């Protein structure tokens, strides 16, 4: 009996010990749960709730966007319906066109058969390889050959380095003629207070010496200015200056004679001759490309030979051309002297009264 009681007490003590251990574990677990709940409660306001609100905001925004897309799609339904209707019409037209094409297929087949037969006949009658060779020609090389079948090797004679120098004979000659016209416009060709015994040719040559002196000075200014100021090229600068002096003397004699013999009409004659010589002397472009009228008068114009003479000084002299130009210009001098000496007195006597009347009307000087 005592043994049973002792065992019972021992069992009770063991149970108490186990219960105390279990209670202790439960207490620790309860403390951990409490701590976890406190952490969750603390993070809810700081992290969880803002995250939930952000997610809800994104969901709402996406829902609104989806609603807008659906609304736009609903509004586009009429347009889609119209497109479908148009597509149906287009398909109907396409079907009709396909029927038309199908109806023409036999004709196309017949033409294709005809072409095939012709090719077969060509193969029998001619060499197909020749046709292939023709089609495989390098047309770029062939075109280059036909464009330049002969390769030219240029050997430049009497070269002139620039365009301005090449044009200097024309513009120098032009300036000498214009200078002569200006002289007879500024200075009078008449001599007042003639002494007894003076002949018309005395007046003619005496006044001409005045014009000649100024004309030669003009020529020096022009030719030397071309060489030094404008830096124009001249193969022989000395000849360029000397030829300019000679041409200026010839031009001045011609213009002076026109005015001395014919008065103001002579000035008009000099201007008209200037205009004709601008286009008819071949100074700016070959005379062969001008109208027939200018080609016809070309050999008879003083500019023709004056420009040619100046070109000999610029590009290089050919003796025969220089002699020819000098000779023809001297012929102009001879004709002008005959006109001036032979006709001055006679024409002046005839026109004296009409000139005086014109001057009295203060229309001309």
């Amino acid at each position: 009996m005592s043994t049973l009681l002792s065992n019972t007490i021992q069992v009770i003590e063991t149970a108490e010990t186990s219960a105390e251990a279990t209670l202790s574990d439960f207490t620790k677990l309860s403390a951990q749960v409490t701590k976890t709940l406190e952490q969750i409660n603390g993070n809810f306001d700081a992290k969880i709730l803002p995250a939930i609100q952000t997610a809800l905001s994104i969901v709402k925004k996406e829902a609104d966007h989806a609603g807008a897309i659906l609304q736009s799609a609903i509004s586009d339904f009429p347009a889609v319906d119209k497109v479908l209707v148009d597509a149906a019409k287009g398909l109907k037209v396409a079907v009709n066109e396909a029927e038309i094409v199908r109806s023409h297929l036999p004709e196309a087949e017949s033409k294709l058969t005809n072409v095939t037969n012709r090719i077969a006949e060509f193969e029998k009658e001619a060499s197909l390889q020749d046709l292939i060779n023709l089609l495989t020609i390098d047309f770029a090389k062939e075109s280059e050959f036909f464009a330049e079948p002969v390769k030219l090797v240029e050997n430049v004679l009497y070269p002139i380095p620039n365009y301005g120098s090449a044009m200097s004979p024309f513009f120098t000659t032009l300036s000498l003629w214009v200078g002569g016209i200006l002289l007879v416009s500024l200075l009078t060709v008449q001599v007042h207070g003639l002494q007894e015994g003076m002949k018309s040719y005395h007046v003619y040559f005496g006044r001409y010496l005045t014009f000649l002196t100024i004309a030669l000075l003009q020529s020096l200014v022009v030719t030397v200015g071309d060489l030094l100021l404008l830096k124009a090229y001249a193969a022989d600068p000395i000849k360029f200056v000397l030829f300019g002096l000679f041409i200026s003397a010839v031009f001045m004699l011609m213009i002076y004679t026109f005015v001395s013999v014919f008065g103001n009409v002579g000035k008009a004659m000099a201007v008209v001759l200037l205009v004709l010589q601008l286009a008819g002397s071949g100074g700016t472009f070959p005379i062969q490309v001008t109208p027939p009228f200018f080609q016809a008068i070309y050999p008879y114009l003083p500019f023709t030979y004056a420009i040619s003479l100046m070109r000999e000084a610029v590009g290089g002299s050919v003796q025969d051309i220089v002699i020819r130009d000098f000779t023809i210009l001297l012929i102009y001098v001879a004709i002008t002297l005959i006109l001036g000496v032979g006709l001055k007195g006679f024409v002046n006597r005839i026109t004296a009264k009409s000139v005086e009347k014109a001057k009295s009307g203060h229309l001309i000087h």
Side-chain angles (χ1 to χ4, degrees):
M1 186 69 177
S2 60
T3 301
L4 178 61
L5 182 60
S6 176
N7 290 336
T8 301
I9 292 170
Q10 187 176 0
V11 169
I12 291 171
E13 290 177 353
T14 301
E16 288 178 354
T17 302
S18 177
E20 290 176 356
T22 301
L23 181 60
S24 176
D25 292 338
F26 182 78
T27 301
K28 291 179 180 180
L29 180 61
S30 176
Q32 290 178 355
V33 170
T34 301
K35 184 178 180 181
T36 301
L37 290 175
E38 289 176 353
Q39 290 177 351
I40 292 173
N41 187 37
N43 292 332
F44 182 79
D45 293 332
K47 297 181 179 180
I48 297 175
L49 183 60
I52 293 173
Q53 291 176 345
T54 301
L56 290 175
S57 176
I58 293 173
V59 170
K60 183 177 182 302
K61 183 177 179 181
E62 294 297 329
D64 293 340
H65 182 63
I69 293 174
L70 290 174
Q71 187 65 32
S72 176
I74 292 171
S75 63
D76 289 339
F77 278 160
V80 173
D81 181 65
K82 184 176 182 301
V83 170
L84 292 175
V85 172
D86 293 341
K89 293 180 180 178
L91 288 174
K92 185 177 180 180
V93 173
V95 170
N96 294 334
E97 294 296 330
E99 290 294 333
I100 295 173
V101 171
R102 188 174 66 176
S103 65
H104 286 83
L105 284 177
E107 181 182 355
E109 182 182 5
S110 175
K111 291 182 178 180
L112 184 60
T113 302
N114 188 19
V115 171
T116 304
N117 294 334
R118 289 186 179 182
I119 292 176
E121 292 176 1
F122 175 78
E123 290 179 350
K124 294 178 181 178
E125 296 176 358
S127 174
L128 184 60
Q129 186 61 38
D130 294 340
L131 178 60
I132 294 173
N133 293 337
L134 178 62
L135 295 176
T136 55
I137 287 177
D138 189 344
F139 290 101
K141 292 184 178 179
E142 294 295 326
S143 62
E144 290 178 1
F145 171 76
F146 285 109
E148 191 179 4
V150 178
K151 188 174 182 180
L152 298 178
V153 178
E154 295 185 1
N155 182 20
V156 181
L157 299 176
Y158 310 111
I160 299 175
N162 52 68
Y163 179 77
S165 297
M167 291 298 295
S168 63
F170 170 73
F171 287 107
T172 301
T173 302
L174 174 62
S175 64
L176 295 178
W177 186 276
V178 173
I181 294 177
L182 291 177
L183 277 180
V184 296
S185 298
L186 296 174
L187 305 179
T188 179
V189 298
Q190 303 298 328
V191 177
H192 303 285
L194 294 177
Q195 298 179 2
E196 292 185 6
M198 292 185 65
K199 304 295 184 180
S200 61
Y201 61 86
H202 293 157
V203 176
Y204 175 77
F205 285 111
R207 179 61 75 181
Y208 171 67
L209 291 177
T210 301
F211 283 91
L212 175 63
T213 302
I214 300 175
L216 294 178
L217 292 176
Q218 285 182 338
S219 176
L220 286 174
V221 171
V222 172
T223 53
V224 175
D226 285 344
L227 298 173
L228 299 182
L229 298 180
L230 301 181
K231 306 298 181 183
Y233 169 82
D236 194 332
I238 302 300
K239 286 184 178 179
F240 186 77
V241 175
L242 293 178
F243 290 170
L245 291 172
F246 173 70
I247 293 169
S248 182
V250 174
F251 285 177
M252 191 69 257
L253 178 64
M254 295 178 66
I255 297 170
Y256 167 78
T257 301
F258 290 155
V259 180
S260 178
V261 175
F262 300 105
N264 287 317
V265 176
K267 296 178 183 179
M269 293 169 62
V271 173
V272 170
L273 189 56
L274 170 64
V275 174
L276 292 176
Q277 292 183 121
L278 285 176
S281 61
T284 53
F285 40 81
I287 191 63
Q288 289 78 9
V289 300
T290 60
F293 171 75
F294 293 111
Q295 295 185 40
I297 66 174
Y298 170 76
Y300 308 105
L301 299 176
F303 264 36
T304 299
Y305 306 99
I307 293 172
S308 174
L309 188 60
M310 295 299 287
R311 282 174 176 165
E312 295 303 304
V314 171
S317 297
V318 175
Q319 195 68 22
D320 292 341
I321 297 178
V322 173
I323 294 173
R324 181 205 66 181
D325 295 337
F326 260 104
T327 302
I328 295 178
L329 288 174
L330 288 174
I331 292 174
Y332 280 112
V333 170
I335 295 173
T336 304
L337 289 175
I338 293 172
L339 177 66
V341 175
L343 296 180
K344 178 175 173 56
F346 175 73
V347 174
N348 287 166
R349 285 193 298 271
I350 293 176
T351 60
K353 292 183 179 180
S354 61
V355 170
E356 289 298 327
K357 288 183 180 180
K359 288 182 178 180
S360 64
H362 303 290
L363 292 177
I364 61 174
H365 59 80

